[in-house]
Amino acid sequence: MTYDPDQLLTPIDQEAPRRVQRLRELGLGDEPDPEFDEFARKLSQITGAPYAMVNFIDEDRQYFAGLHTTPANQAGGGSPEEAAAGTPGRVMSRDHGYCPHVVVRRKALVLDDVCDYPRFAGNPVVDEIGIRSYLGAPLIDRTGTTLGTICVVDVEPRPWGREGLETIKALAAELVDRIHQRELD
């Protein structure tokens, strides 16, 4: 196996313009949402992970409309500076983290230990926030557009296993149903 530095790059997202349009139609991705914060809390509680997010992604950034951190990890305003200081904030660059990979792949991603994968171990969130494990699934709406992701992360390696994969996929489907219900209301 040869080392290819290009494999470390965030994948090109051809769907981003359509996603941004769809997020605008739904009124999502620009501000915190108490329902999504509660959903992130539920994600954290079910998985036992200290961080959980409902993440909407545009061409340049990720926006955590739903965010839950354990009380010891909570920070005030959720600014990008806080994210760089070791606590996830509400906004993150598109080249940070693993959700952009999930959005482009349109498939769940399970990383028990990100350091086991050269493509993911070099991501800035490893050094800046201390992320060591990730579990995420895409939010694909009724139009076929991938709106974003739900995910949980931990600062310790975690064996998510098949149960974790099935759980995150089921919860993603549940949240997509809630988003569709909002659209009908």
Side-chain angles (χ1 to χ4, degrees):
M1 183 169 122
T2 59
Y3 173 74
D4 182 358
D6 290 336
Q7 289 297 311
L8 301 176
L9 299 176
T10 302
I12 295 171
D13 183 0
Q14 301 293 336
E15 189 182 26
R18 183 174 44 182
R19 176 180 319 103
V20 169
Q21 179 183 356
R22 183 69 177 133
L23 288 170
R24 284 188 185 128
E25 290 170 7
L26 295 168
L28 300 174
D30 286 326
E31 57 188 59
D33 185 306
E35 182 181 356
F36 294 153
D37 282 342
E38 180 57 29
F39 195 87
R41 187 197 62 72
K42 175 181 171 178
L43 285 169
S44 176
Q45 183 178 38
I46 288 171
T47 63
Y51 302 108
M53 297 89 161
V54 175
N55 186 7
F56 299 113
I57 301 173
D58 66 24
E59 292 101 331
D60 303 311
R61 70 179 177 106
Q62 303 175 67
Y63 187 79
F64 302 122
L67 176 65
H68 177 78
T69 64
T70 56
N73 296 322
Q74 286 180 343
S79 70
E81 293 77 22
E82 288 170 335
T87 301
R90 292 270 181 189
V91 177
M92 187 178 284
S93 172
R94 196 181 162 283
D95 65 353
H96 283 53
Y98 310 107
C99 290
H101 295 270
V102 172
V103 165
V104 170
R105 292 170 24 135
R106 299 173 61 90
K107 292 165 102 176
L109 179 62
V110 178
L111 300 171
D112 295 338
D113 185 343
V114 299
C115 293
D116 288 344
Y117 304 90
R119 178 178 193 169
F120 299 116
N123 194 284
V125 298
V126 174
D127 292 332
E128 293 175 12
I129 302 174
I131 301 303
R132 284 295 300 271
S133 62
Y134 172 90
L135 177 64
L139 298 170
I140 302 173
D141 88 337
R142 64 176 178 74
T143 69
T145 304
T146 306
L147 303 174
T149 67
I150 60 168
C151 70
V152 293
V153 296
D154 202 336
V155 295
E156 300 291 332
R158 293 183 63 123
W160 302 109
R162 166 87 38 213
E163 183 180 341
L165 174 63
E166 295 305 321
T167 297
I168 201 77
K169 288 167 56 177
L171 289 166
E174 178 184 324
L175 186 58
V176 167
D177 286 344
R178 287 186 187 189
I179 292 169
H180 290 157
Q181 188 58 45
R182 283 177 161 203
E183 189 176 21
L184 295 174
D185 290 344

